[in-house]
Amino acid sequence: MFGLPELPNEIVFADTMDLMRVLKRKGIIKGQISLKALLNEFSIKHNEENQHEAWADTINLIKIAQMAANLFGFSSYASVLSSNKHFVRSV
């Protein structure tokens, strides 16, 4: 696709939105699950001028994933994935 080489089958990914949807369904997250809404939900300070800047968004998403994992009863997002294999998909 797009002239790019195929990735090996061993490459997998996980989307943090899967965890956010579970937390929303359980009523742990009250509002929307957009990046901006989650930053506000978790009281994470952020510079709105850098909103949608790739590096700042990545750092903020890591913070959100960590806090969401803790709310879900896990020590890290990686431990959420280890215990919830259905969140991990092949590329």
Side-chain angles (χ1 to χ4, degrees), residues 74-88:
F74 291 87
S75 62
S76 68
Y77 183 62
S79 61
V80 170
L81 298 179
S82 293
S83 295
N84 293 275
K85 300 290 186 194
H86 60 283
F87 285 172
V88 180

Side-chain angles (χ1 to χ4, degrees), residues 24-85:
K24 172 102 173 143
R25 194 170 47 245
K26 291 180 176 273
I28 297 170
I29 293 175
K30 306 292 185 224
Q32 296 180 5
I33 56 175
S34 67
L35 178 59
K36 185 175 181 178
L38 290 168
L39 288 168
N40 292 330
E41 174 89 18
F42 293 129
S43 301
I44 296 173
K45 293 182 191 226
H46 61 287
N47 182 348
E48 293 208 19
E49 291 178 19
N50 288 343
Q51 199 76 31
H52 299 298
E53 190 272 320
W55 187 249
D57 284 356
T58 300
I59 291 169
N60 287 329
L61 186 55
I62 290 168
K63 292 175 185 176
I64 288 168
Q66 179 63 45
M67 293 180 85
N70 294 155
L71 288 172
F72 200 46
F74 291 87
S75 62
S76 68
Y77 183 62
S79 61
V80 170
L81 298 179
S82 293
S83 295
N84 293 275
K85 300 290 186 194

